[in-house]
Amino acid sequence: MSKKQKKMLVRILLAAAMLIGFQFIPATGWVRFVLYLVPYLVVGYDILIKAAKGIKNGQMLDENFLMAVATIGAFALAVWEQSGDYTEAIAVMLFYQIGEWFQSYAVGKSRRNISELMDIRPDYANVEKNGTLEKVDPDEVPIGTTIVVQPGEKVPIDGVVLEGESTLNTSALTGESLPREVQPGSEIISGCINQSGLLKIRTVKEFGESTVSKILDLVENASSRKSKSENFISKFARIYTPVVCLSALALAVLPPLVRLLGMGLAAEWHVWIYRALTFLVISCPCALVISIPLSFFAGIGGASKEGILIKGSNYLETLSKTNCVVFDKTGTLTQGVFEVNGIHHSRLEDKKLIEYAALAESASSHPISRSLQQAYGHKIDRSRVTDIQEISGSGVIAKVDGKEVAAGNYRLMESIGVPYMNCHKAGTIIHIAIDRQYAGHIVISDKIKPHSREAIAALKKAGVNRTVMLTGDADAVAQQVGNTLGIDEVCSQLLPAGKVDKVEEILKRHTGQGTLAFVGDGVNDAPVLSRADIGIAMGAMGSDAAIEAADVVLMDDDPLKVVKAIRISRKCLRIVYQNIAFAIGVKMICLVLGAFGAANMWLAIFADVGVMVLAVLNAIRALYVKKI
Ligand code: ADP
Ligand code: MG
């Protein structure tokens, strides 16, 4: 509980105690008035101040204003009627404040929950100084510092292992507990927990640029991007409150006038003013105003716990309407870890061909490049490579030992005018030309991820009507993957720009039928990620490009997470709609009852606080995610 919340609680308890105690004091007249004014001011002075400030700033028609008018009105009525019944006015203020307190507690709690759930913020980094370990603020560690991570500690900053072997627990980042083995040379990401051995790490980033900071920024900024429902509510409140105030005024003035002038009856001013005040209390829109942002917040929080980072409630809303999911192939549906299956027509020794290819690829982050470097198996001597040029969707051209090496698909060979040999074997073909002379090709193949098939089936079951796979790879490979997975539509041999065109074409075909999500790994597909209604980047641990371009970031690369993200968003939106319907419904009933005099102020405030508490509890449900 924060200091502010504690103070509020004290005020509430104090006012309640006074209110109960005063029932036994037989004071009357002005003494009674002053006596009861004390608890009223104790519990409600801040609301009165806020209402006064609102009037001064010309934005007077908010909840504070409604509450101030209603309670001051009730007080005034009691004075006028000389009934001395001030309890009601105080009780209204008291319950309103209890509601406010509960809401701030719930919001604070869920906010804290998110950072707790995503328990990744490191408190310190161990830096070795003169033989002893010193705990330093991670913010103050420059790039290239050697830090020590002991077993049980969080990795505070992204880095490379210098010494030591261990397993890392990445569950705080990904929601899955797949331990990762690391040894000297492994790149490691901040936010993981070191499980077994002592590690010495050389930092490669500053704390502010490290994965943990990026993720925390993203999660903390998520609530600033408002969804349509939230914007609707603030617009709604802007029209709603003035309408309510005018109606209350009409209710207070018109019926008595009609009675007096039209029907020749007694005006009964106090009855109608009381009904108008009740009406004001009933119409306070707190439940809506609070529970909707809270539901989104809880939805985003629950998702982050699962390693699904959603950049804003607007994206959560769009995601919930997903009807068509377009996948990139390499690294998304397939593992992006290629094995060399054959080397044909080589003019050189096979090993030499792989060496040239791996060196030329040394600067690329494409899965193909990583796999070729793996196949080469030796340390890459970067000084042998110059003039590197990567042609997105085709391959790379670079100078290796002074010779121009081109490695890529048939399109690359055509663009440099080198005739190439086709391959009879199924797989991804890397043609290689050295100094514009064809030097042979390497056939590599990729494996489908274990969950891809299940994910496509689960999407269908979740009501997504169309699945599409886009790839820059060859037809044969694409068709085979598409058939194995049961994908509706396969488009192959696309350049990165072609992928954007294709997505635009599908968007056009799909207008009015829900939204289109694109799932990619961020390699060569950032433009598509931003063009789709919703861009989902997977395996984003450490890939900045993907984190920037996407709307939803999956920390690991399990395609089932796409289904989970859609389910979370749908559940969250369901809760939002339930709350809207429930709150508006109860308000309507109370308003009608109030207008006919069948509801008093007690009922009104109970309805208001009750609806709010239930709506907030319902909203918190969005925090919990069912396992699939
Ligand atoms: P995908 O759509 O499957 O993710 P990309 O658009 O990234 O594939 O690449 C399409 C094709 O371009 C690859 O299948 C490969 O033939 C070629 N290519 C792209 N980048 C490289 C690279 N760095 N080295 C070799 N070939 C590449
Ligand atoms: Mg790709």
Side-chain angles (χ1 to χ4, degrees):
M1 215 186 296
S2 74
K3 232 186 202 142
K4 218 167 132 199
Q5 287 166 349
K6 272 190 199 139
K7 201 175 133 201
M8 192 68 232
L9 195 61
V10 170
R11 282 170 55 197
I12 289 173
L13 293 175
L14 202 64
M18 278 195 258
L19 196 59
I20 295 168
F22 291 173
Q23 306 299 320
F24 303 102
I25 299 176
T28 50
W30 283 107
V31 180
R32 189 179 171 85
F33 176 75
V34 174
L35 204 60
Y36 276 84
L37 203 55
V38 176
Y40 176 68
L41 291 180
V42 164
V43 76
Y45 75 89
D46 52 335
I47 302 290
L48 299 181
I49 292 174
K50 277 187 220 157
K53 270 196 192 140
I55 296 173
K56 213 175 88 201
N57 299 337
Q59 328 157 295
M60 52 191 221
L61 302 175
D62 61 1
E63 301 109 86
N64 297 316
F65 178 79
L66 290 182
M67 279 301 138
V69 171
T71 53
I72 292 175
F75 242 98
L77 208 59
V79 172
W80 185 45
E81 285 184 304
Q82 297 187 333
S83 66
D85 185 9
Y86 307 115
T87 313
E88 196 169 25
I90 302 170
V92 167
M93 195 55 109
L94 192 66
F95 281 110
Y96 179 73
Q97 292 287 42
I98 291 175
E100 292 284 297
W101 181 85
F102 176 76
Q103 121 192 182
S104 95
Y105 183 72
V107 172
K109 185 110 185 138
S110 67
R111 243 176 236 281
R112 207 151 354 104
N113 259 341
I114 289 182
S115 28
E116 248 164 50
L117 291 170
M118 296 224 53
D119 185 18
I120 55 174
R121 187 190 294 284
D123 303 319
Y124 58 87
N126 296 317
V127 179
E128 212 169 29
K129 270 186 199 154
N130 313 324
T132 54
L133 280 189
E134 222 173 87
K135 287 194 162 87
V136 186
D137 183 346
D139 249 331
E140 286 162 10
V141 177
I143 298 178
T145 312
T146 304
I147 57 171
V148 176
V149 183
Q150 291 165 321
E153 289 183 334
K154 269 179 227 128
V155 178
I157 303 170
D158 296 0
V160 179
V161 178
L162 292 177
E163 267 175 51
E165 280 180 20
S166 181
T167 39
L168 297 182
N169 179 348
T170 59
S171 66
L173 293 169
T174 60
E176 310 288 336
S177 48
L178 269 184
R180 223 191 104 203
E181 309 280 330
V182 291
Q183 53 264 27
S186 311
E187 284 179 20
I188 65 176
I189 292 161
S190 46
C192 306
I193 293 174
N194 182 8
Q195 285 186 310
S196 43
L198 187 120
L199 291 174
K200 278 197 178 169
I201 297 164
R202 184 165 44 77
T203 62
V204 296
K205 284 184 183 160
E206 277 172 26
F207 176 65
E209 289 296 308
S210 284
T211 311
V212 192
S213 304
K214 290 242 162 91
I215 292 170
L216 288 170
D217 273 358
L218 197 154
V219 173
E220 275 155 21
N221 288 330
S223 52
S224 62
R225 303 194 204 210
K226 296 282 175 243
S227 64
K228 271 198 215 114
S229 328
E230 283 168 288
N231 286 331
F232 165 77
I233 289 300
S234 37
K235 256 190 234 146
F236 173 78
R238 225 174 295 146
I239 307 168
Y240 175 82
T241 324
V243 168
V244 164
C245 289
L246 284 178
S247 316
L249 196 64
L251 192 61
V253 177
L254 293 184
L257 285 182
V258 169
R259 286 175 69 96
L260 194 66
L261 305 175
M263 303 195 273
L265 298 168
E268 292 189 334
W269 285 102
H270 60 281
V271 173
W272 294 99
I273 290 176
Y274 182 80
R275 285 187 193 174
L277 294 175
T278 309
F279 179 85
L280 277 186
V281 177
I282 296 171
S283 7
C284 187
C286 333
L288 280 183
V289 171
I290 176 64
S291 76
I292 290 169
L294 188 64
S295 310
F296 279 111
F297 197 77
I300 292 175
S304 18
K305 187 176 60 168
E306 299 291 318
I308 300 166
L309 308 182
I310 300 171
K311 284 193 181 170
S313 22
N314 50 340
Y315 302 123
L316 194 71
E317 195 171 34
T318 317
L319 188 64
S320 73
K321 302 197 186 104
T322 305
N323 182 31
C324 170
V325 180
V326 181
F327 288 93
D328 182 45
K329 179 181 76 79
T330 315
T332 305
L333 290 170
T334 66
Q335 292 177 332
V337 180
F338 295 85
E339 267 168 30
V340 174
N341 269 359
I343 297 174
H344 307 141
H345 313 293
S346 179
R347 286 200 298 119
L348 310 163
E349 234 180 290
D350 286 359
K351 255 176 43 206
K352 207 71 192 148
L353 194 69
I354 290 198
E355 180 175 341
Y356 274 120
L359 281 163
E361 295 270 8
S362 60
S364 165
S365 59
H366 200 277
I368 290 180
S369 140
R370 260 183 280 136
S371 310
L372 285 174
Q373 292 178 40
Q374 193 84 34
Y376 171 51
H378 302 278
K379 233 183 148 52
I380 300 271
D381 179 1
R382 290 250 185 151
S383 65
R384 292 170 60 190
V385 196
T386 54
D387 302 304
I388 302 172
Q389 214 186 330
E390 176 151 12
I391 301 118
S392 183
S394 294
V396 294
I397 302 178
K399 281 227 159 77
V400 179
D401 301 336
K403 294 192 189 106
E404 187 201 77
V405 177
N409 54 16
Y410 75 97
R411 222 181 279 131
L412 185 75
M413 294 297 118
E414 279 170 3
S415 75
I416 59 171
V418 171
Y420 56 91
M421 312 281 262
N422 274 319
C423 189
H424 55 277
K425 233 174 153 169
T428 304
I429 319 290
I430 313 292
H431 297 287
I432 292 153
I434 297 174
D435 282 335
R436 310 262 155 152
Q437 290 277 323
Y438 193 62
H441 59 233
I442 305 174
V443 188
I444 56 181
S445 67
D446 196 0
K447 275 199 230 86
I448 291 173
K449 285 185 190 169
H451 286 159
S452 293
R453 208 185 138 79
E454 211 180 316
I456 300 289
L459 279 176
K460 287 260 156 72
K461 236 172 85 195
V464 169
N465 327 356
R466 197 155 185 85
T467 50
V468 183
M469 184 180 86
L470 305 182
T471 179
D473 212 342
D475 283 334
V477 183
Q479 283 304 338
Q480 191 214 340
V481 173
N483 288 341
T484 318
L485 297 181
I487 289 191
D488 297 327
E489 188 180 341
V490 173
C491 309
S492 50
Q493 304 201 353
L494 293 169
L495 283 170
K499 291 185 185 172
V500 178
D501 294 342
K502 196 77 210 173
V503 163
E504 266 169 2
E505 186 199 308
I506 303 172
L507 275 172
K508 222 175 264 158
R509 242 195 283 151
H510 262 259
T511 33
Q513 312 171 35
T515 56
L516 180 148
F518 176 78
V519 190
D521 58 357
V523 179
N524 288 354
D525 50 20
V528 201
L529 279 174
S530 39
R531 180 63 192 88
D533 293 323
I534 191 110
I536 305 177
M538 65 165 42
M541 277 207 286
S543 154
D544 297 349
I547 295 188
E548 298 279 301
D551 308 317
V552 176
V553 176
L554 307 180
M555 292 307 296
D556 59 5
D557 47 14
D558 184 349
L560 270 177
K561 286 275 168 77
V562 176
V563 192
K564 205 173 222 173
I566 293 178
R567 288 215 190 152
I568 290 174
S569 68
R570 292 202 176 144
K571 175 173 172 193
C572 181
L573 265 287
R574 238 183 354 257
I575 291 175
V576 167
Y577 293 137
Q578 281 164 4
N579 277 348
I580 294 183
F582 175 57
I584 293 186
V586 173
K587 291 274 152 182
M588 287 300 183
I589 295 170
C590 290
L591 280 177
V592 172
L593 288 178
F596 288 106
N600 61 15
M601 227 181 253
W602 287 93
L603 177 85
I605 193 70
F606 274 123
D608 188 51
V609 174
V611 168
M612 202 202 75
V613 169
L614 289 178
V616 165
L617 290 177
N618 193 26
I620 289 180
R621 264 188 338 118
L623 201 57
Y624 300 95
V625 184
K626 252 192 271 157
K627 291 263 169 261
I628 43 172

